[in-house]
Structures are given as C-alpha cells and as structure tokens.
Amino acid sequence: MNKQNPVVELKLPVIPDIELSATKTAEVISKHMNLSEEKTGEISMAIIESCINAFEHSKTKEIFIHFIVSADKLTIKVKDQGVGFDKSKVEIPNIENKLNSDERKRGWGLQLVSALMDTVEYDSDETGTTVTMTKKREDNE
Amino acid sequence: MSDSIKNVEEISGVVVITTSGYFNNIAGDAVLEVFNQKMEEGKINFLIDMEDSKVVNSIGVSILIEVIEKLQTVDGKLAFTNLAGIVEKTFNIMGLTKYCEVYDSVDSGVDNLS
C-alpha cells in the first residue's frame, strides 16, 4: 500500500445487503481522513446506491470497489462487469410524477449519488460500468 | 412481526411504527404491510420512528412513497421521527419531506398528528 495515497479494494459478490460491508469500510476510511459525520453518511449512501444499481441492473456477478485516499479528496470507484447502460436514457425522478400515477416508485439511485457526492462520472459500455465519485476534504478536516 | 419492525403501537389515535436495522426493501415491505392492516382498521395518521434505522436505501424509501400515495386518498398523514442526518437528507432529495413532516421525538410527532 502506498502511504501517500492508500488504496483499499473490495470485491463483493451479489448477496443480500452486502453493500453494508462497503459502508463499514467507508466509515473506517472516512475516520482515517477525519471527514465529518455528515460526509461519511453521504459517502455511505452513495456507495449503497451505486452497489444496488449494479446488482439490480447490470447482471454482474460481482462488483469491485476501490477507495483511493489522497490529500484533498476521497475517490471511490464502483466497477461491475455487467451489461452497461446509457445514462442519457435514465429519467430524472420526481416524486410529483410518481404519486398518483402508475409510474414505478423506484429509480432514485443516480439522482441520490449525484446529490450526495462532489463529483460523479459514469463510464459504461457492454463490458461493464465504472462509477467514479469523489468527496472533497475541507481544509479543517 | 418482521425483524424490520421493532414495535407498533397506537398513541392518541396515531399509529407509531418503530423500525429496526437497515431500511431496505424488506423493511419497506414490512412497514407497508403494517400500514395496510392499520388502514383497513380505519387508521389514517402514521408516525414512523427510525431511531434504530440509521441506514436506508432508495428501494426501501420508495415503498414509503406508496404509503404517502395511499394516505392522500383518505386525507391521512405520514410523519417521521428520530431520523439520522443522512436519512433526512435522503428523504429531502427524494421529495418525501414535501409531503411528510419530520419531528424530533415520538411525543412531538404524536402531539402534532393527533
């Protein structure tokens, strides 16, 4: 492990609630980085949603999560080897549209990740998807 | 009772549902089952105490949108109490807090709903 930029890697099989093991890891890393409780919660929620998206939609058998610690931010990569998706075709959910309609109530993952993290990028094709998201470390953290 | 539901009680006409653990699809379905049962009994005001559910996912929370939808048909109310910061933020992003109040305590929630 590089002491300057520690990297933590997880490989998660598709089993119920396994995403919680990634949030436990995120909590340890956030504590190591002195990130606030608020940011730790946001990171954990973004990881949960990224894992669920991969498990539910990609048909992957496992996902890989990389936590990359640097001086000014935490970078998290959630990778699957599934079927990929076209982000431009994902509708932005709205609760008003979901209430009193036949529209399915689900489909919030991308919006939550986007709202909770500082940056989010999706790299997706038919061989898989990588979500790269960052949370900045403030000067006082 | 499901492992996801710690307690269900009625206080001053308000059904207080206390959840337990990870609020995922299983927990959401458990709340929906209790809700449906109580609504059939004529109850229309519900308070969900999430003190023991500090972690949620959007699938579980989506099921609560179904609850809101059903309560709108009977002019009922759904409210929450003891939310962890990230849970309240998730509810804000998803828009639940446009339709549901969030209270600091069970007592405060019951006082306002009853």
Side-chain angles (χ1 to χ4, degrees), chain B residues 12-53:
Chain B
S12 303
V14 178
V15 179
V16 181
I17 302 171
T18 305
T19 62
S20 179
Y22 185 27
F23 197 84
N24 56 10
N25 59 314
I26 294 169
D29 282 337
V31 166
L32 183 62
E33 187 178 341
V34 171
F35 165 78
N36 284 335
Q37 182 185 341
K38 293 295 181 181
M39 199 170 165
E40 279 183 14
E41 295 171 9
K43 307 300 178 188
I44 61 168
N45 291 323
F46 293 80
L47 178 66
I48 301 181
D49 180 356
M50 299 188 75
E51 183 164 24
D52 289 341
S53 292

Side-chain angles (χ1 to χ4, degrees), chain B residues 47-65:
Chain B
L47 178 66
I48 301 181
D49 180 356
M50 299 188 75
E51 183 164 24
D52 289 341
S53 292
K54 304 299 187 192
V55 183
V56 303
N57 70 31
S58 63
I59 301 175
V61 179
S62 295
I63 296 170
L64 298 176
I65 297 175

Side-chain angles (χ1 to χ4, degrees), chain A residues 6-7 11 15-17 21 23-24 51 61-62 65 69 74 80 97 101 104 111 114 121-122 129 135 138:
Chain A
V7 177
K11 176 181 169 183
I15 61 176
D17 297 346
S21 66
T23 67
K24 295 294 181 192
C51 289
K61 292 180 179 172
E62 57 198 8
I65 304 178
V69 178
L74 172 63
D80 68 60
N97 293 339
S101 75
R104 64 198 287 272
Q111 178 157 325
S114 175
E121 293 176 4
Y122 294 89
T129 298
K135 180 63 83 177
E138 305 300 330

Side-chain angles (χ1 to χ4, degrees), chain B:
Chain B
M1 192 180 297
S2 161
D3 290 343
S4 303
I5 304 290
K6 185 177 176 182
N7 190 44
V8 179
E9 62 182 328
E10 290 180 38
I11 307 173
S12 303
V14 178
V15 179
V16 181
I17 302 171
T18 305
T19 62
S20 179
Y22 185 27
F23 197 84
N24 56 10
N25 59 314
I26 294 169
D29 282 337
V31 166
L32 183 62
E33 187 178 341
V34 171
F35 165 78
N36 284 335
Q37 182 185 341
K38 293 295 181 181
M39 199 170 165
E40 279 183 14
E41 295 171 9
K43 307 300 178 188
I44 61 168
N45 291 323
F46 293 80
L47 178 66
I48 301 181
D49 180 356
M50 299 188 75
E51 183 164 24
D52 289 341
S53 292
K54 304 299 187 192
V55 183
V56 303
N57 70 31
S58 63
I59 301 175
V61 179
S62 295
I63 296 170
L64 298 176
I65 297 175
E66 272 185 63
V67 172
I68 295 169
E69 190 173 63
K70 290 184 177 183
L71 281 172
Q72 286 184 334
T73 66
V74 294
D75 203 21
K77 288 182 182 173
L78 175 66
F80 300 98
T81 187
N82 293 319
L83 297 185
I86 184 58
V87 175
E88 185 165 356
K89 181 169 276 191
T90 299
F91 286 7
N92 284 335
I93 295 167
M94 293 177 65
L96 274 76
T97 46
K98 294 179 190 173
Y99 298 90
C100 306
E101 295 292 333
V102 177
Y103 297 105
D104 291 338
S105 67
V106 171
D107 288 347
S108 173
V110 168
D111 283 348
N112 282 280
L113 288 170
S114 59

Side-chain angles (χ1 to χ4, degrees), chain A:
Chain A
M1 183 183 289
N2 183 332
K3 285 187 178 178
Q4 294 297 316
N5 292 306
V7 177
V8 179
E9 300 179 1
L10 297 178
K11 176 181 169 183
L12 304 182
V14 182
I15 61 176
D17 297 346
I18 192 68
E19 62 273 15
L20 295 182
S21 66
T23 67
K24 295 294 181 192
T25 303
E27 287 171 10
V28 173
I29 293 170
S30 292
K31 187 175 181 184
H32 169 76
M33 294 179 69
N34 289 322
L35 297 181
S36 66
E37 186 178 338
E38 181 181 5
K39 286 186 179 180
T40 302
E42 291 167 349
I43 292 165
S44 293
M45 188 68 196
I47 290 171
I48 286 172
E49 294 301 319
S50 297
C51 289
I52 287 173
N53 276 341
F55 290 149
E56 285 235 309
H57 304 298
S58 78
K59 301 178 183 174
T60 192
K61 292 180 179 172
E62 57 198 8
I63 60 175
F64 303 86
I65 304 178
H66 293 187
F67 298 87
I68 304 154
V69 178
S70 55
D72 61 339
K73 66 179 181 290
L74 172 63
T75 302
I76 301 164
K77 292 179 179 284
V78 180
K79 302 181 181 182
D80 68 60
Q81 295 171 324
V83 297
F85 77 109
D86 183 349
K87 186 172 179 289
S88 67
K89 292 183 178 173
V90 179
E91 285 187 24
I92 297 172
N94 179 306
I95 193 168
E96 281 75 25
N97 293 339
K98 291 182 181 293
L99 285 168
N100 303 309
S101 75
D102 292 333
E103 187 175 327
R104 64 198 287 272
K105 312 305 180 197
R106 291 161 63 167
W108 296 90
L110 298 189
Q111 178 157 325
L112 281 166
V113 173
S114 175
L116 293 169
M117 299 299 283
D118 292 319
T119 66
V120 185
E121 293 176 4
Y122 294 89
D123 180 12
S124 188
D125 61 26
E126 66 277 4
T127 65
T129 298
T130 298
V131 184
T132 303
M133 47 195 174
T134 65
K135 180 63 83 177
K136 292 175 190 166
R137 176 152 58 177
E138 305 300 330
D139 291 340
N140 59 352
E141 289 179 319

